[in-house]
């Protein structure tokens, strides 16, 4: 049936598009989309106009999906859509060029103006197009950076695209120096903001950054704002397109925060020891690495802690060491599966541990699990009635023992500046690609 429709070409675009836009049609929308994509160019303008006039987000989504994936013999047919008055049409036309990869370089002159588009989503898509072109776009973008051009966002868009392609190594010396100057300016009055915490970090009671760098076998480091360092840490372990040694290339070493230096990330040796253990041995390897690292750090600095949080699945963990000895290691998932070996730590006093549950079995009887409001109300009522303590997480322990990086702010005493330091792998392979905020 699909093949027969495709063979009819332009004459069936209208009827098939009607089915695509019918949210109550018994025909799965992906079937209509597939037919339109295979018909190709005849569906281009009808889809663009559907996007521009759609009165339903779902209809617009279906049409947008289809527009950027049409099977056309010459991608140049998308060029007129780059100046279409509707921003979603421009963005979807850009997606078609993004799918070309390096071949989109042939259209660079027509793509460059989109780096200065009035719409943020369109500008971001234009950056992605150049990112997918890759290294071949670097000379074009560098020339753009050195040439006076109209459009206040054009040169900054080129800088973002360069960073997205190759990180700092894609920037020329003039741009790297410009970023350093901007960093120094921002550091003067930066008030650290609470970090998004997903991953693990160490805390040591010292202001000696050089000693911390040596302890983790890190390079000298590039001064960065807390904003840049936090973004780098989150980027490197949330980037699903990472290549080679991207996950073990660099570490963010914080300024001194309330007397503690925080280290976000691991040495490349530690990372490889954990990853080389494979899926079955990863958890045990991580615990060994963390215990050994905290032991060593506490010998050097008197005390050390390691904390872990996940933004996806509720995992949390911590390790506390003093004077060369680990005195507490807790992993919520391990404790849930096999119990907590203890002993507990005074910083946990007054809290429930994450694997502990003091709610009666019948606490939520009669509550519809899908009714979030009713569930929350019952939870708070039972918790208050039975005086069930709050559950603690790594950030709560960190707040008591050192500093919670998720809650830093104007009240946090800050000394010095942060560093983005390369590990042994980073010194060999360089920074991961990706633009970072300053």
């Amino acid at each position: 049936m699909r093949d027969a429709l495709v063979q009819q070409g332009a004459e069936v675009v209208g009827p098939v598009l009607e089915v695509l836009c019918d949210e109550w049609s018994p025909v799965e929308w992906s079937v209509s989309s597939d037919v339109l994509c295979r018909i190709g160019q005849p569906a281009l303008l009808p889809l663009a106009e559907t996007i521009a006039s759609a009165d339903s987000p779902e209809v617009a989504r279906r049409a947008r999906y289809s527009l950027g994936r049409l099977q056309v013999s010459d991608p140049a047919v998308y060029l007129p859509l780059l100046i279409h008055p509707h921003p979603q049409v421009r963005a979807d036309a850009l997606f078609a060029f993004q799918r070309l990869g390096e071949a989109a370089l042939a259209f660079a002159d027509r793509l460059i103006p989109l780096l200065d588009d009035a719409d943020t989503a369109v500008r971001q898509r234009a950056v992605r197009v150049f990112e997918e072109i890759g290294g071949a776009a670097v000379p074009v973008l560098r020339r753009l950076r050195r040439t006076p051009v109209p459009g206040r966002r054009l040169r900054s868009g080129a800088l973002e695209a360069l960073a997205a392609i190759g990180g700092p190594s894609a920037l020329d010396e003039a741009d790297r120096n410009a970023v350093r100057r901007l960093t120094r300016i921002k550091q003067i009055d930066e008030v650290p903001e609470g970090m998004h915490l997903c991953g693990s970090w160490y805390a040591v009671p010292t202001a000696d950054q050089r000693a911390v760098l040596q302890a983790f076998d890190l390079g000298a480091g590039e001064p960065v704002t807390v904003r840049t360092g936090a973004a780098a840490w989150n980027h490197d372990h949330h980037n699903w397109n990472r290549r080679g040694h991207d996950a073990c290339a660099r570490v963010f070493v914080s300024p001194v925060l309330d007397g503690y230096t925080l280290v976000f990330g691991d040495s490349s040796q530690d990372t490889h020891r954990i990853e080389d253990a494979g899926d079955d041995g990863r958890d045990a390897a991580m615990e060994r690495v963390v215990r050994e690292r905290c032991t060593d750090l506490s010998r050097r600095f008197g005390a050390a802690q390691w904390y872990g949080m996940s933004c996806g699945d509720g995992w949390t963990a911590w390790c506390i060491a003093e004077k060369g000895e680990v005195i507490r290691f807790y992993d919520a998932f391990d404790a849930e599966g096999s119990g907590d070996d203890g002993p507990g730590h005074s910083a946990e006093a007054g809290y429930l541990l994450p694997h502990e549950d003091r709610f009666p079995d019948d606490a939520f009887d009669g509550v519809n699990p899908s009714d979030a409001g009713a569930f929350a109300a019952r939870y708070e009522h039972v918790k208050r009635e039975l005086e069930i303590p709050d559950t603690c997480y790594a950030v709560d322990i960190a707040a008591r023992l050192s500093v919670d990086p998720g809650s830093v702010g104007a009240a946090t005493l800050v000394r010095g500046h942060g560093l983005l330091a390369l590990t042994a792998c980073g010194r060999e392979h360089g920074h991961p690609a990706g633009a970072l905020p300053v």
Side-chain angles (χ1 to χ4, degrees):
M1 181 63 175
R2 294 192 203 187
D3 292 342
L5 289 170
V6 172
Q7 288 176 1
Q8 293 180 64
E11 64 183 84
V12 299
V13 166
V16 174
L17 186 55
E18 286 185 16
V19 176
L20 178 78
C21 297
D22 183 357
E23 297 182 54
W24 305 105
S25 172
V27 179
E28 171 61 40
W29 75 266
S30 60
V31 175
S32 304
S33 175
D34 176 63
V35 172
L36 292 171
C37 289
R38 290 166 62 190
I39 289 174
Q41 185 175 349
L44 184 81
L45 293 180
L47 282 167
E49 294 314 308
T50 297
I51 294 167
S53 61
D55 56 7
S56 160
E58 174 61 19
V59 169
R61 184 185 72 83
R62 295 177 182 184
R64 295 188 66 190
Y65 177 91
S66 307
L67 179 61
R69 294 170 173 81
L70 297 180
Q71 298 176 17
V72 297
S73 58
D74 183 0
V77 300
Y78 280 99
L79 291 174
L81 298 187
L82 296 178
I83 57 173
H84 193 281
H86 199 290
Q88 288 187 339
V89 174
R90 299 196 298 276
D92 294 325
L94 281 169
F95 179 71
F97 289 102
Q98 180 183 330
R99 296 178 68 230
L100 295 177
E102 187 173 337
L105 183 64
F107 305 96
D109 289 346
R110 302 288 293 274
L111 298 169
I112 283 172
L114 279 300
L115 292 170
D116 185 46
D117 196 275
D119 185 83
T120 301
V122 175
R123 295 197 302 273
Q124 292 174 342
R125 180 63 67 183
V127 169
R128 290 293 306 277
V129 173
F130 283 100
E131 182 181 359
E132 291 303 316
I133 292 173
V138 168
V140 174
L141 294 167
R142 283 184 174 178
R143 283 196 299 272
L144 185 59
R145 288 286 300 163
R146 304 278 77 84
T147 305
V149 292
R152 64 186 180 87
R153 291 178 291 255
L154 198 55
R155 294 178 71 249
S156 61
L159 181 64
E160 183 178 353
L162 282 165
I165 291 169
S169 65
L171 310 186
D172 62 19
E173 192 61 27
D175 275 336
R176 285 196 289 270
N177 287 334
V179 172
R180 292 183 182 115
R181 286 194 298 272
L182 179 60
T183 295
R184 289 195 294 269
I185 292 169
K186 291 292 186 75
Q187 286 175 330
I188 293 172
D189 57 0
E190 181 185 27
V191 176
E193 297 179 348
M195 292 174 56
H196 172 74
L197 299 175
C198 185
S200 61
W201 69 96
Y202 291 89
V204 289
T206 183
D208 190 345
Q209 270 189 337
R210 179 176 296 181
V212 173
L213 294 172
Q214 291 175 343
F216 283 86
D217 187 28
L218 301 174
E222 184 79 26
V224 294
T225 62
V226 174
R227 185 183 186 212
T228 299
W233 177 60
N234 273 295
H235 169 274
D236 293 349
H237 60 265
H238 284 102
N239 177 20
W240 308 121
N241 296 318
R242 59 192 179 204
R243 298 160 289 190
H245 292 266
D246 283 0
C248 57
R250 61 190 178 189
V251 167
F252 171 48
V253 180
S254 77
V256 182
L257 304 171
D258 287 342
Y260 279 79
T261 297
L262 308 184
V263 180
F264 295 87
D266 295 295
S267 72
S268 53
Q269 297 93 326
D270 287 356
T271 299
H272 283 290
R273 282 181 62 192
I274 295 169
E275 295 304 321
D276 290 348
D279 291 341
D280 292 339
R282 190 180 188 283
D283 291 346
M286 183 183 72
E287 181 175 344
R288 286 195 300 272
V289 165
V290 168
R291 284 178 174 272
E292 291 172 12
R293 180 64 65 183
C294 284
T295 297
D296 175 67
L297 291 172
S298 68
R299 286 198 188 103
R300 294 175 184 242
F301 303 106
Q305 299 118 40
W306 168 88
Y307 300 101
M309 292 284 291
S310 171
C311 63
D313 58 13
W315 172 76
T316 190
W318 51 89
C319 182
I320 304 166
E322 296 177 358
K323 299 178 181 178
E325 180 183 359
V326 171
I327 59 175
R328 175 60 160 153
F329 182 91
Y330 176 82
D331 184 299
F333 284 3
D334 285 350
E336 186 174 352
S338 56
D340 175 26
D341 295 333
H345 190 275
S346 58
E348 301 161 6
Y351 283 118
L352 280 184
L353 292 172
H355 73 284
E356 296 176 323
D357 181 6
R358 293 190 186 172
F359 282 80
D361 292 340
D362 60 354
F364 300 98
D365 284 356
V367 177
N368 185 345
S370 63
D371 187 340
F375 185 88
R378 177 68 64 84
Y379 176 90
E380 291 299 330
H381 173 75
V382 174
K383 184 172 181 289
R384 185 169 51 253
E385 185 178 63
L386 299 183
E387 298 182 339
I388 298 174
D390 291 336
T391 297
C392 65
Y393 297 90
V395 290
D396 301 302
I397 307 304
R400 286 185 170 183
L401 293 180
S402 51
V403 58
D404 167 18
S407 299
V408 294
T412 305
L413 179 62
V414 182
R415 293 171 54 199
H417 55 70
L419 296 171
L420 200 55
L422 293 176
T423 65
C425 288
R427 295 193 291 275
E428 180 177 353
H429 301 286
H431 283 270
L436 300 172
V438 179

